Amino acid sequence: MKLKELESLMQDIAPFEQPKIELEQYPTGPHLASRLLFAVANSYDEFDGQTVIDLGCGTAMLSIGAAMLGAQHVIGVDVDDDALRIAQENVDEYEDPLPVDFIRCDVRQVAAQARLQADTVVMNPPFGTRRKGADMEFLRAAFALSRNSIYSLHKSSTRDYIQRFVERELRASSAEVLAQLRYDLPASYTFHKEKSKDIEVDLWRFELPPQTDRS
Amino acid sequence: MKLLTHNMLQCHIKGVKNGYPLKIEAEKVEEREQDYEPDFLRHIFPRINWDALREGAAAMGIDDLPESASEELLEDDEFLKKFHHALLEVHLEEGALVCPETGRKFPVSDGIPNLLLQEDEC
């Protein structure tokens, strides 16, 4: 699938009805989502035939994209009931059933699900501006849930910190910024005075050390 | 929720030792066709807890899975089709997942299990 096609597919996915500030429910824009998905599918071929977890899935833009790009099983995880309801509706829009399941779970509790794992984790976590450290909680959970790789978006201003954090605390075997993107943060919150605000965002890819199967 | 997802879930309440597998209380089950991909079934098989799958399938009305399964069966088309159907095509829409140790129920509504823990549970 071409990047343009992917982006226009992403545009059809319904956003949050009323974004919740405390959860930093910025919608993953079609621009960011399509670039993340494109990197996983085209640069690394890590969707086709694989299992995927979309952590903090919101309205399921990344889950749907992963399924359309060949993932055989996707689990979208989110804490918010309202977001999951829209996510399920978005998945149900497709005539051929997409292999996407959802579970409601808190990112701080999900690592205790010791058997819950996927080949690849994708996420657009909160930037941690409302609840400090939320972005690191997502990274910590992602490293518990992934078997091979993690793709994530973080503010470019946190780049050095993240590099150290994943290498020292999370035992990443590699951590690489694939691209720097501009996040056109829409004025979806009333406290944002300007119409929209550009933020520099890094698209990261992390790898985990190999592990053995258990069942 | 598919049985593949169920196979990966446990009761994660603090202190629970035997929170796996979660028992399925099925109120509404749906079947939806999914593309048959033998390569994916072989890919995922080593991670599947067979007893949990078989027990979960039985709770959803599927009782044609063999008692045990091994790598050799992954070349058997008849087996793979049954495995595929149970793992990916049977969905729990309404019901609950029940912890075998504590009896704590995690409700499933519109196919989505609610695994949120209360503060005193984590």
Side-chain angles (χ1 to χ4, degrees):
Chain A
M1 200 181 296
K2 291 200 175 103
L3 184 57
K4 276 231 163 92
E5 291 171 63
L6 195 55
E7 187 162 347
S8 89
L9 268 172
M10 294 296 107
Q11 265 153 2
D12 295 335
I13 295 171
F16 296 103
E17 277 164 6
Q18 288 170 316
K20 290 172 189 160
I21 292 163
E22 69 278 13
L23 295 175
E24 289 192 55
Q25 286 178 335
Y26 312 115
T28 309
H31 172 76
L32 283 187
S34 55
R35 267 140 195 92
L36 187 152
L37 294 166
F38 195 75
V40 185
N42 289 57
S43 307
Y44 293 94
D45 191 19
E46 289 190 310
F47 279 146
D48 197 27
Q50 304 289 297
T51 59
V52 173
I53 289 175
D54 176 2
L55 189 57
C57 65
T59 61
M61 198 177 266
L62 295 177
S63 300
I64 291 169
M68 300 197 71
L69 292 167
Q72 291 294 310
H73 183 63
V74 182
I75 299 179
V77 180
D78 208 286
V79 70
D80 181 31
D81 229 3
D82 293 327
L84 287 171
R85 184 176 44 78
I86 299 169
Q88 187 66 63
E89 285 170 13
N90 283 338
V91 165
D92 293 341
E93 287 285 304
Y94 295 85
E95 213 169 296
D96 291 330
L98 294 177
V100 181
D101 277 354
F102 295 102
I103 61 177
R104 187 173 180 208
C105 196
D106 191 302
V107 68
R108 290 163 289 186
Q109 299 169 0
V110 75
Q113 285 289 345
R115 309 181 63 94
L116 183 62
Q117 281 205 318
D119 298 307
T120 301
V121 171
V122 294
M123 61 179 181
N124 177 18
F127 293 137
T129 45
R130 300 296 299 180
R131 187 159 57 81
K132 210 171 176 316
D135 46 349
M136 299 303 141
E137 286 167 3
F138 270 75
L139 273 173
R140 203 178 276 285
F143 273 80
L145 297 175
S146 174
R147 298 171 61 91
N148 301 325
S149 62
I150 297 161
Y151 295 81
S152 184
L153 296 159
H154 298 272
K155 268 184 168 176
S156 296
S157 58
T158 60
R159 188 181 295 180
D160 293 344
Y161 183 78
I162 285 175
Q163 186 89 34
R164 280 197 306 275
F165 182 73
V166 299
E167 281 171 2
R168 286 182 197 168
E169 290 207 33
L170 302 178
R171 294 179 53 240
S173 66
S174 80
E176 190 188 348
V177 175
L178 303 179
Q180 191 175 44
L181 306 166
R182 298 190 76 80
Y183 190 3
D184 182 28
L185 186 65
S188 39
Y189 301 116
T190 45
F191 67 83
H192 285 140
K193 285 185 188 128
E194 309 96 295
K195 253 197 156 164
S196 75
K197 199 173 161 187
D198 268 357
I199 296 181
E200 308 247 284
V201 173
D202 288 342
L203 168 57
W204 282 91
R205 177 174 186 265
F206 307 105
E207 282 181 302
L208 285 90
Q211 57 167 277
T212 47
D213 281 324
R214 53 180 171 183
S215 65
Chain B
M1 184 195 61
K2 300 173 182 69
L3 282 172
L4 174 50
T5 303
H6 166 260
N7 211 265
M8 293 190 254
L9 299 178
Q10 64 186 66
C11 177
H12 56 317
I13 291 175
K14 201 175 177 189
V16 169
K17 297 263 186 302
N18 301 304
Y20 185 86
L22 295 166
K23 290 206 186 317
I24 293 179
E25 284 183 6
E27 282 166 28
K28 187 176 160 205
V29 173
E30 273 179 21
E31 298 194 7
R32 271 172 246 148
E33 217 169 290
Q34 189 78 42
D35 290 344
Y36 173 59
E37 301 276 358
D39 284 344
F40 175 67
L41 297 171
R42 293 183 194 110
H43 171 71
I44 201 73
F45 179 79
R47 296 181 222 165
I48 298 297
N49 181 301
W50 190 259
D51 291 342
L53 177 66
R54 200 160 169 274
E55 216 175 281
M60 308 246 271
I62 307 288
D63 48 19
D64 62 352
L65 292 177
E67 240 171 80
S68 60
S70 60
E71 300 274 346
E72 295 92 74
L73 280 172
L74 296 175
E75 301 307 319
D76 176 352
D77 208 44
E78 201 188 327
F79 165 78
L80 284 178
K81 284 191 168 141
K82 286 178 186 167
F83 180 36
H84 167 76
H85 181 64
L87 194 70
L88 302 171
E89 294 190 319
V90 189
H91 296 250
L92 179 64
E93 289 298 313
E94 302 290 335
L97 306 177
V98 186
C99 171
E101 183 177 314
T102 63
R104 161 76 146 90
K105 280 191 188 185
F106 298 95
V108 177
S109 147
D110 279 328
I112 305 176
N114 182 353
L115 300 172
L116 276 186
L117 298 181
Q118 305 296 321
E119 254 174 56
D120 60 355
E121 293 176 319
C122 53

